[in-house]
Amino acid sequence: MEIRLDIFFIILGAALVTFIPRVLPLMLLSRISIPDWGMRWLSFVPIAVMAALVAQELFVTDGKFAGLSTNVELIAALPSFWVAVKTRSLLGTVVTGILALMLLRLLF
């Protein structure tokens, strides 16, 4: 099997573009000491990213705000959120969400 040189350079460039933004901050941040306020601020980044992803999935449909009356995913998210807060169980939350969405899609 022959590899064309231009395709090889495209693959190599894509690998570098993916690798550099991941490794460079890790190398730089491992050499410095981040203050306590910075560490506290960074601890909220995963929560904020997850909230943004979930909110976009629940509240936006086809680029428009989806209302509560027609949004079965949002209605199914309510019992899932309740189970997550009460039990702190990932498995329970996922099972509750799947069952709630299945039931709502069956009814509507």
Side-chain angles (χ1 to χ4, degrees):
M1 176 181 221
E2 185 178 330
I3 298 175
R4 292 182 10 204
L5 193 59
D6 57 340
I7 300 296
F8 175 74
F9 283 128
I10 289 172
I11 293 171
L12 186 65
L16 284 173
V17 166
T18 302
F19 182 74
I20 289 173
R22 294 176 188 204
V23 172
L24 193 61
L26 183 64
M27 289 173 39
L28 292 175
L29 293 176
S30 67
R31 300 200 190 312
I32 63 172
S33 176
I34 300 173
D36 288 337
W37 63 267
M39 291 302 291
R40 276 193 315 263
W41 182 81
L42 286 173
S43 72
F44 293 110
V45 170
I47 297 167
V49 169
M50 184 60 115
L53 291 172
V54 169
Q56 181 179 3
E57 191 66 33
L58 291 177
F59 294 115
V60 177
T61 303
D62 296 329
K64 298 176 188 166
F65 181 74
L68 180 61
S69 62
T70 60
N71 194 348
V72 292
E73 288 86 4
L74 182 59
I75 297 169
L78 297 175
S80 302
F81 181 72
W82 183 81
V83 168
V85 169
K86 288 293 183 186
T87 66
R88 301 253 186 228
S89 167
L90 180 61
L91 180 61
T93 303
V94 170
V95 169
T96 302
I98 290 171
L99 291 175
L101 191 56
M102 284 174 49
L103 182 64
L104 286 170
R105 286 189 177 169
L106 181 68
L107 295 175
F108 297 110

